[in-house]
Amino acid sequence: MCHVIVTCRSMLWTLLSIVVAFAELIAFMSADWLIGKAKPSSSEDVDNRTGGLQEPYHPTLGIYGRCIRISHMQLSRRDTLCGPYAENFNEIASGFWQATAIFLAVGIMILCAVAFVSVFTMCVQSIMKKSIFNVCGLLQGIAG
């Protein structure tokens, strides 16, 4: 009975470790860190497919990515283009955002390593008389 509880607990921990690592990676890649005010609707904002108004546009900025509205030549249709604005590390918005990028990248690498190791804890639970769970938990705390 006790072994089943430990196995279920380690499976849950493994699953949550993987989910958190991916969530951090998605947050790092997101361009929605700063969201600008909605631009007012105009007659050009009519959706050609439905005939109704498009949703208001919000410019966004992330650590190294952004979303901007671009205008196509054909039919005055507007779309949003998302992608990196920084081609190298020095082009990131500010020193604080550069520090954020460094700390998040290191944290994500640690969380990904822990998620990878946590898969093996199903078979091996200690190395050199040290609990893998304790070591990985400490690493997760540092990464957080």
Side-chain angles (χ1 to χ4, degrees):
M1 177 75 174
C2 183
H3 181 65
V4 172
I5 293 172
V6 170
T7 303
C8 288
R9 199 180 295 167
S10 66
M11 287 173 53
L12 179 62
W13 175 69
T14 299
L15 180 64
L16 290 176
S17 295
I18 293 169
V19 167
V20 167
F22 278 116
E24 283 286 325
L25 185 60
I26 290 168
F28 183 76
M29 303 297 285
S30 173
D32 293 335
W33 284 60
L34 293 176
I35 300 175
K37 291 183 180 181
K39 303 292 182 185
S41 297
S42 67
S43 61
E44 294 179 358
D45 289 337
V46 174
D47 190 344
N48 293 328
R49 291 168 280 172
T50 63
L53 290 177
Q54 292 179 349
E55 289 187 28
Y57 162 69
H58 296 272
T60 62
L61 179 67
I63 290 180
Y64 75 95
R66 68 176 173 189
C67 290
I68 56 173
R69 180 172 270 183
I70 57 170
S71 178
H72 293 291
M73 296 294 187
Q74 56 194 17
L75 302 174
S76 296
R77 188 171 156 236
R78 297 182 178 263
D79 280 19
T80 303
L81 175 68
C82 296
Y85 70 85
E87 292 185 17
N88 61 47
F89 185 74
N90 292 329
E91 291 179 359
I92 293 178
S94 71
F96 292 113
W97 285 44
Q98 290 174 347
T100 301
I102 291 170
F103 286 123
L104 269 176
V106 170
I108 289 168
M109 286 191 301
I110 292 171
L111 288 174
C112 287
V114 168
F116 181 74
V117 168
S118 69
V119 173
F120 295 108
T121 61
M122 303 291 183
C123 302
V124 179
Q125 296 182 355
S126 65
I127 295 177
M128 297 180 347
K129 298 184 182 181
K130 296 282 184 185
S131 171
I132 295 176
F133 299 111
N134 291 342
V135 173
C136 287
L138 176 66
L139 287 174
Q140 284 177 328
I142 291 169

